[in-house]
Amino acid sequence: MTLHLSSISAALLADLQAARPLMWTNPHRSAEADVQTVVDGRRISLADMRAAQARFARFAPLLARLFPELEASAGRIESDLLGAPGMQQALGLPTRHGSLWIKADHSLPIAGSIKARGGIHEVLEFAEALALRHGLVDVDGDYRVLADAPARALFGRYQVAVGSTGNLGLSIGVMASALGFRAAVHMSADAKAWKKTRLRARGVEVVEHTGDYAAAVAAGRREAEGDPYSYFVDDERSLSLLLGYSAAALHLHDQFEAAGLRVDADHPLFVYLPCGVGGAPAGIAFGLWQLYGPHVHACFVEPTQSPCFLVEMLAPGASVYDVGLTNRTEADGLAVPRASELAAEAMGPLLAGVCTVPDERLFLDLHRVRESEGLRIEPSAAAGFSGPRMLTDSAAGRAYLARHGLDAVMPQATHLVWTTGGLFVPPDEYARFAERGAALTSPTPAESPPA
Ligand SMILES: *Cc1c(COP(=O)(O)O)cnc(C)c1O
């Protein structure tokens, strides 16, 4: 493969290679609302996002029956939209630049992360297709029959497999095994031990790999190939995952209305999405674009050592290793060396930009959001908090705001940080993260005033 690293500007490449936090904005972003999104040769639109939402709704009664924690929401898997004035102050984001909000996917039930959206959707889509094909249910029927013996016998003949750094495995593994599938999760070396333990406790087969995330996916894909009773969820090229994530936009729209938040030319929406392979943030950015067009500005945020989506936008086909980075980060959900080409294809004309963030900053913001808003998130989920200041303070961010004529409307802007995981982090592990962040807030010796 020929890599065109030479097409990256020297200054940007130097920042990337030195793992300096940076902001890049997308010169190919469309100004038109009506952008055709084509992935893998297929056009996707609002109708596909609604179809994913409708699938979740059909399954809701069944999910409420399978998972006690979904009883209160009648089977709906959703998270809160939270105002975050305390965190806005902690971040030093002046109100003349708008207001800070949080989309609390760190509290999503079942998976404990944003993967509850895409991962669960794909398992449901697979189960539904099987059940329909075998005449076990009608699309307008009561899906609770899928908890009964005939459906479980059918599902039990199939294996659902996935490669994961942890969180996708949790969502796919837990949902697949709850429906009665055999479930296998191929874990990369960076996956946290507690995630493996949690899966094994639910009867999921965990296959450990010594390689990175891409290697775990490849191993899973290989093993499932040629087995008609094995279904592989392919995070690097799955449309079902992407559409499952996109449905978040429809619920968010209702939450905005309820909160009195508008999104239009005078009220721009900036959304900051932690990015691994790119499927989750791309699905959500695609979904929001269907509702708000160019009034939504989607910024992906990646660790400085794993900016695979940015690398893919700059040099298609390249990995973070190709630019000399390590892919080593404590943000296990984002430790991905190569982006999903499908996600990158979808984002070409829609993405506002990408910011990168060093690990220390993740711990600092994890600590700050606990202190200011009482929220308990994992390191990956803290990535978005770097976004607003990057946008308003960096040269690239300011140029973006000027180019899109946004300076005058910034006081009415909404900055939405998507906190993508954390619910199931064990208390001792979380305490270590928080301590690490707290230590960063005390002045270092070099900064202390002379005695
Ligand atoms: C997976 C994950 C993401 C990013 O999703 P991708 O589809 O890999 O881009 C963000 N945050 C957390 C906590 C995740 O687990």
Side-chain angles (χ1 to χ4, degrees):
M1 186 186 308
T2 339
L3 298 172
H4 299 285
L5 295 186
S6 57
S7 62
I8 308 177
S9 86
L12 182 57
L13 188 60
D15 282 344
L16 255 180
Q17 292 180 321
R20 274 192 286 273
L22 60 86
M23 176 160 203
W24 167 86
T25 62
N26 180 9
H28 305 297
R29 183 175 181 274
S30 174
E32 311 296 323
D34 189 19
V35 178
Q36 291 218 354
T37 301
V38 178
V39 290
D40 253 2
R42 210 193 124 192
R43 178 160 185 219
I44 54 169
S45 66
L46 180 64
D48 296 288
M49 168 162 90
R50 289 206 189 283
Q53 185 193 40
R55 180 168 295 113
F56 276 121
R58 288 195 292 278
F59 272 95
L62 173 68
L63 298 185
R65 180 160 157 187
L66 292 176
F67 295 95
E69 63 266 47
L70 293 183
E71 249 168 60
S73 68
R76 179 176 227 183
I77 302 169
E78 259 307 338
S79 70
D80 291 337
L81 171 69
L82 307 169
M87 187 59 174
Q88 174 155 8
Q89 197 162 25
L91 291 171
L93 180 70
T95 51
R96 67 185 155 82
H97 288 320
S99 54
L100 186 76
W101 290 74
I102 290 173
K103 179 60 180 161
D105 271 11
H106 63 278
S107 64
L108 278 180
I110 317 285
S113 80
I114 194 168
K115 301 295 194 308
R117 300 182 181 280
I120 289 176
H121 178 257
E122 182 151 357
V123 175
L124 297 183
E125 185 167 7
F126 176 61
E128 182 174 50
L130 271 179
L132 290 172
R133 185 143 35 91
H134 287 80
L136 290 173
V137 75
D138 294 320
V139 232
D140 45 11
D142 183 347
Y143 276 35
R144 280 175 297 191
V145 297
L146 298 181
D148 297 342
R152 294 194 75 85
L154 171 67
F155 294 158
R157 302 207 322 254
Y158 289 83
Q159 181 191 60
V160 175
V162 66
S164 173
T165 63
N167 285 342
L168 185 64
L170 279 180
S171 105
I172 304 274
V174 169
M175 182 52 65
S177 84
L179 288 171
F181 291 106
R182 288 176 289 121
V185 177
H186 296 263
M187 291 281 209
S188 55
D190 39 50
K192 305 273 183 208
W194 69 265
K195 294 183 182 176
K196 300 176 197 169
T197 310
R198 194 176 171 90
L199 280 172
R200 289 194 172 114
R202 278 156 203 261
V204 175
E205 183 197 350
V206 176
V207 187
E208 300 186 59
H209 295 275
T210 50
D212 65 14
Y213 160 81
V217 172
R221 194 187 286 139
R222 231 177 5 253
E223 202 177 284
E225 248 164 27
D227 179 354
Y229 289 96
S230 187
Y231 178 82
F232 184 67
V233 176
D234 200 327
D235 196 19
E236 288 178 344
R237 48 183 88 151
S238 166
L239 187 57
S240 181
L241 279 176
L242 191 99
L243 292 173
Y245 291 120
S246 77
L250 293 163
H251 186 247
L252 182 61
H253 177 77
D254 295 342
Q255 291 179 311
F256 279 159
E257 301 233 302
L261 290 178
R262 283 159 55 188
V263 182
D264 54 33
D266 295 325
H267 302 81
L269 169 64
F270 298 91
V271 54
Y272 305 94
L273 296 152
C275 175
V277 74
I284 289 168
F286 159 79
L288 290 170
W289 191 282
Q290 305 315 303
L291 304 180
Y292 304 119
H295 306 311
V296 56
H297 303 267
C299 296
F300 290 5
V301 189
E302 305 189 281
T304 49
Q305 285 294 346
S306 300
C308 66
F309 206 85
L310 175 55
V311 168
E312 173 70 29
M313 296 302 277
L314 296 171
S319 79
V320 303
Y321 305 128
D322 294 321
V323 298
L325 294 169
T326 62
N327 190 37
R328 257 187 239 123
T329 168
E330 292 277 350
D332 55 337
L334 315 180
V336 173
R338 194 185 300 275
S340 155
E341 284 175 27
L342 186 135
E345 195 184 351
M347 285 302 98
L350 305 188
L351 185 66
V354 178
C355 303
T356 66
V357 50
D359 276 18
E360 308 86 76
R361 180 64 199 266
L362 300 178
F363 290 108
L364 182 58
D365 285 338
L366 176 152
H367 163 75
R368 282 172 169 163
V369 81
R370 168 168 92 158
E371 295 287 297
S372 61
E373 308 289 344
L375 305 181
R376 199 174 162 286
I377 66 173
E378 64 184 79
S380 297
F385 289 113
S386 301
R389 293 282 305 268
M390 271 289 192
L391 179 75
T392 58
D393 296 1
S394 72
R398 284 173 198 254
Y400 179 91
L401 295 177
R403 192 160 78 236
H404 291 85
L406 293 166
D407 289 317
V409 296
M410 286 308 277
Q412 301 100 258
T414 298
H415 299 271
L416 181 65
V417 171
W418 215 284
T419 51
T420 47
L423 184 62
F424 299 134
V425 176
D428 56 332
E429 190 136 343
Y430 179 75
R432 276 198 300 277
F433 293 155
E435 267 164 37
R436 211 168 141 178
L440 292 165
T441 59
S442 36
T444 59
E447 282 171 13
S448 307

